[in-house]
Amino acid sequence: MDQTLRCVLGFFLLNLIPHGLAQGNSPRVTITSNWPETFWNETLTLRCEIEGGGDSEWTFSWSTPSTLRTSKYTTHNESIIISQATDSDNGDYWCSGRRGSPNPTNTPWSEPFKLTVTKIIPKAELRADSTSIPAGGAVTLTCDVNPPSSGWTYILYRGDHPGTQDDGKNFNGRISVSKGGVYWCRGERGEPVYDTEYSDSVTINIILSDRAVVTLQPHWTEIYSGEKITFRCEIEGGDDSEWEYEWETTSSDRSVKKNSKSFEITATSYSEGEYKCKGKHKTEVLSSTPWSTPITLTVSEQKPKPELKADVTDIPVGGYVTLTCDVSSSSGWQYYFWYRADKSSNPSSIHDVSSAGQINVSKEGLYWCRGERGNPVYYTEDSNTIQLKENTVANKAVVTLHPNWSEIYNDESITLRCEIKDGDDAEWEYEWKTSNSFKPPKKKEYSIGPAYTLHSGNYSCKGRKKSDQSPTDWSDPITLTVLYSSPQPVLTVSPLWLSPGDSVTLNCEVKHPSAGWRFYWYEAIPKLSDNSYSYQLLSGSRDGTEKYSFIVHGQTHTAGYVCRAGRGEMNTPYSEPKFVWSGDLPSSASLTVSPERVQHFTSDSVSLECKGNSTQWRVKFQRDSSLADCSLRDTMTGSTCTIDRHISRNNVYWCESGSGEFSNAVNITKQKSDIILVSPVHPVTEGSSVSLSCRLRSPDIVSNVFFYQNNKLIQNDTRKELNISAVSKSDEGFYKCQTSGRESSQSWMSVTVVAVSRLGNPSYPVILVIVGLICGVVLIILLLLLYRCRQSKDSYLVRSIQSESTNQDSSTNPAAQRHEYSPPLQDANHSQSHDVTYSLIELKNIGKKGKKPEPDSTIYSDVRLETEDPSVLYSQISCHNPGKAKKNKGKPTPAITEESVYSEVKRDQ
C-alpha cells in the first residue's frame, strides 16, 4: 500500500467517528533514547503517551510505514520496539488510545512522528597528540564517532587486534597513556548495546633517554667523488647487543643499508645529503631512541687543487722562505712538497711531510705541492708552481714616516721614505707596493699632501741595485691611517666645585690620540649678543703645551674653560665649554635664590636673580653634560629666571653678565616627593649659626624628625629643626631628614673657613698661629710699658722694627750705641732658622719740653711663625697714668692722656 493510500485511510480513521472521542486526551509519539539520530541495525523503542490520560487502562492503535492498523487494538501495547532498524522503517508513525466498556472512548490520532534511519554503521576515530612518548612522559588519546552523534561511551583496546569488550578499558573519550603499543577504540550506546565499528589503529612508540649520534670515519663532511667514507650509529651508554638500527637520508644513494649499525660508501654525487639514525630496543617493543641530529655530507665531483704560496720569492742571504700549501675547501689533508733545481733536473721530494701545510726552504728552484688523506689514500691534483731565487744582497729596506705620525687627518701632509741600511742612495732604484689603489713612483720618497682617506693602507718598499739589479727584501709594511675629519677634543675639569684658592686641573683628550699634538687652553668669556662664548688664551698657553693637562692655580670664582689641539698647519675645533663652580658670593656678580634653599617641591615657584655691576644678564644651567640657557625651558625676565612649575629638576645654575663676569653657582632640585630638606643654598661661614629643617608637602609634621649627616643619625626628637650655633668645617657634608615614614633627598652643606688677610694673599688660613703670636707680643710689651710708665709717669711709643736695623753701622745710627741688648732666647739648633722673627721694641721718653729725655732702651723678643710668607701685623696698646692729678697754680694738672702704642712685627729675612 503506497504512501498516498495510507495518508487517506489515516485521515478517514481520524474523522470517521466524531462521537465518542475522549475529550482533552491527546496522544503523542516519543522515542525512548536520548539521541536524535538512528543508525542502521540499531534497536529503538517508540512510545505512545496520552496527555491527561490518568491511570485508566488504555489500549492503543498504531499506524506505521509498514502496516496500517485501523481497528486492531491490543492491551498494553503503548510501545513499539524496532529491532535492527533499516531504511524500510523510515516514515511517519501515529498512535491513538481507547478505553472504557461497553461504550469505549477513543482519542484522536497523534501528530505524526517522523523516523529517519541513517543507512550506515558509525565508525570510531582514534587520534593521538603525539605518536612518541618521551622518556618518563605520556601521550593523550582521543576517541570520537563519525558521523558526529551523541550518547556514546568509549572502550580502548591495546594489542595487535582489538579483542572483546571485556578486554578493553572504558573511558570518556580522552585518556593519557604511558605505554607503547597499538591502540584501537570503539563507541557503544543504548540498551541493548549498539556498537560502532572499530577505529583504525594508532601506534605509539616510547622514546628512550638513550641518545643516538652519527659519526664519520674519516671525520670530514666535505668529500670528493671516489673517496670512501664509513657511517656509524653510536648509542651513548648502550650495548650493541641490545639495539637494532634504522637510518634515514635525504640523499638518493640506494646503497645505504637502512638496518645496520654502520655502512661504507664510495662517494658519488648521489651520496650528497643529510644522514640520521636511531636505535630500536630489541626486547622493549616499540621503544626507540630519538632520531640523531642529522649530519650533512657534501660531495664535490672535481678533484681539489691546493694553492701554494710563498711569503717572499727571494730567499734572503742566510735565511729561508716559508711555503704554505692549502686545500681551503676541506680538511684532514697532509701535504707533500717537491722541487727541482732547473728544467733539466728531475723532481725531488722534500721528506718533511707537513700536516699544517707549511715548510721553510732555503734552496732556489721550482716548487709545488700535493695533498693526501684517508685510507685508502685520496690524492689532490698538483698545486701551482712557485720559482724561488736566492738573494745575494744583504741590505735591508725600511719605510719611515716624516713626521712620524701613523695617524693623520684629511688635508695633512706626510712623506714616506725608503731607507736602505748601509746603502748609498746613488746605487739604488726603488719600488713600492701598497694595499690601496695608489701606486707610488719608483723613487726614494713618496710625499702625500693633502691626504685623503683613500691613502690609508700598508706601504712596503724594496731597493734594487742599479749595477746588477739584485734586490733587497721587501721592507716590513708600515700602516698609514688617514681619518676623515680632525678630532673633537673633550675637556674635563677637576674639581667641579671650588674651595677658594683651589688649583683647577684641565685635561684635554683627543679621540684618536697620535703624536705631535700641542694643547692650547682658553677661558670662556660670555657673549650675550649671540648666546655664545669668546675664548681668551690662558697665561702660559700662548705656545701650547706638550702635556694634555694644565693647572690653573688659585682659582676663586666660577669660570668656564675650553681647549683645542694643533699640529703642523692643522687645529682641531674647540672643545665644548666646561665649568668649575664656586658657591661663594663674589663682590662683582652674585646669584640669589628665592626661596633660599636647595630643595623645592615641583609646585614651588623658584626665582633666580642676578645682581651686580652689569645691566645685562643671562642664567645658565648644566643639563646632563651640556649647557643650556634659562630661556630654553623657563622664563627669563630682566635679570630674573623663574623656573617653570611642575617639572622635576636637578641642575647647577649661575649668572653670566654682559661685561664677561660669572656669579657664584647654586645647586637647585625640584622633586615630586612629599618631603624636602630645607638647607642653605650658599656656603655658610665658619663660626656662624645655621638651621636645617624638614618640610612636608602636607600636612604638618606630627612625629619625630630624624636628621642625618653623611647617613649617620645626629638628631632624633620632636624638634623640626637642626640648629648649629657655630658651624665648623666638621659640619660640612650631606644632610637629609626623615619623618612619618618618608625620607628627603640629600643636599650638600658647604662650610667656608674664615680667612686671615695677609699681604699678597687675602685668604691665608693661619688665624690660630697669628692670634697666639699677637697675644705673646702684646703681653711682653704691656709689661714693659707698665714698668716704664711707672718710672717716668709719661707715655711712651713702642715700636718694633726688623732685626736687620740692629745691624746698622753705629756711625749712621748713633742711637744704636745707647741700646741695651737682651739676647733672644732660641735653640742652638735653630740659630739660622728662617722660622724666627725678631721684634725690636724701642722705648722713648716723651716727657715735658726742656727736660732731657731719658736714654732709649731696646728689647728683643723671639717670635716664631709657621710660614715663610712675610707679613706685617700691628698691635695697638693704650698706656695711661693711674695716679692722681697734680695741682698747678690753682688748677688741677690733667692726668697723662692715653697714648696708642703700635708693635710692628716683621719676618726676619
Side-chain angles (χ1 to χ4, degrees), residues 810-832:
S810 59
S811 62
T812 59
N813 187 7
Q817 299 176 6
R818 303 191 304 269
H819 289 174
E820 297 178 5
Y821 293 96
S822 175
L825 302 175
Q826 50 182 308
D827 191 345
N829 294 329
H830 296 84
S831 59
Q832 302 298 324

Side-chain angles (χ1 to χ4, degrees), residues 59-120:
T59 59
F60 298 89
S61 295
W62 287 89
S63 174
T64 70
S66 58
T67 60
L68 184 62
R69 299 181 179 89
T70 57
S71 60
K72 182 181 179 182
Y73 297 93
T74 58
T75 305
H76 301 298
N77 58 350
E78 72 272 16
S79 299
I80 293 178
I81 298 175
I82 303 174
S83 299
Q84 296 183 341
T86 65
D87 56 354
S88 63
D89 295 312
N90 287 336
D92 294 331
Y93 289 79
W94 291 270
C95 75
S96 69
R98 182 180 182 182
R99 70 177 177 181
S101 180
N103 298 314
T105 302
N106 297 320
T107 68
W109 286 95
S110 67
E111 293 291 328
F113 176 85
K114 188 174 184 63
L115 177 65
T116 301
V117 178
T118 303
K119 196 177 180 179
I120 61 171

Side-chain angles (χ1 to χ4, degrees), residues 16-50:
L16 181 62
I17 308 174
H19 62 279
L21 293 176
Q23 300 297 319
N25 299 124
S26 299
R28 181 168 61 94
V29 177
T30 62
I31 190 167
T32 58
S33 61
N34 293 323
W35 41 88
E37 62 286 308
T38 302
F39 293 101
W40 192 270
N41 286 339
E42 192 171 9
T43 298
L44 67 149
T45 300
L46 299 179
R47 183 179 177 82
C48 186
E49 296 180 354
I50 298 176

Side-chain angles (χ1 to χ4, degrees), residues 123-162:
K123 183 177 181 178
E125 288 187 352
L126 183 63
R127 300 186 305 277
D129 60 353
S130 174
T131 58
S132 299
I133 301 174
V139 298
T140 299
L141 300 178
T142 303
C143 187
D144 52 25
V145 174
N146 188 29
S149 47
S150 57
W152 302 99
T153 59
Y154 301 92
I155 303 173
L156 184 69
Y157 302 90
R158 179 174 175 265
D160 292 339
H161 300 284

Side-chain angles (χ1 to χ4, degrees), residues 823-865:
L825 302 175
Q826 50 182 308
D827 191 345
N829 294 329
H830 296 84
S831 59
Q832 302 298 324
S833 173
H834 289 284
D835 292 337
V836 178
T837 296
Y838 296 103
S839 174
L840 175 61
I841 303 173
E842 189 175 18
L843 303 181
K844 293 185 178 181
N845 188 346
I846 52 173
K848 295 179 180 179
K849 184 178 180 181
K851 189 175 181 179
K852 185 178 181 179
E854 301 245 347
D856 295 346
S857 178
T858 301
I859 299 175
Y860 286 89
S861 66
D862 185 352
V863 182
R864 297 183 184 272
L865 296 178

Side-chain angles (χ1 to χ4, degrees), residues 226-246:
E227 281 195 279
K228 291 185 180 294
I229 194 164
T230 299
F231 292 85
R232 290 179 61 86
C233 187
E234 305 284 356
I235 297 179
E236 296 180 354
D239 184 352
D240 290 347
S241 62
E242 300 179 81
W243 301 97
E244 295 174 346
Y245 299 90
E246 184 177 344

Side-chain angles (χ1 to χ4, degrees), residues 385 552 590:
T385 59
V552 180
S590 63

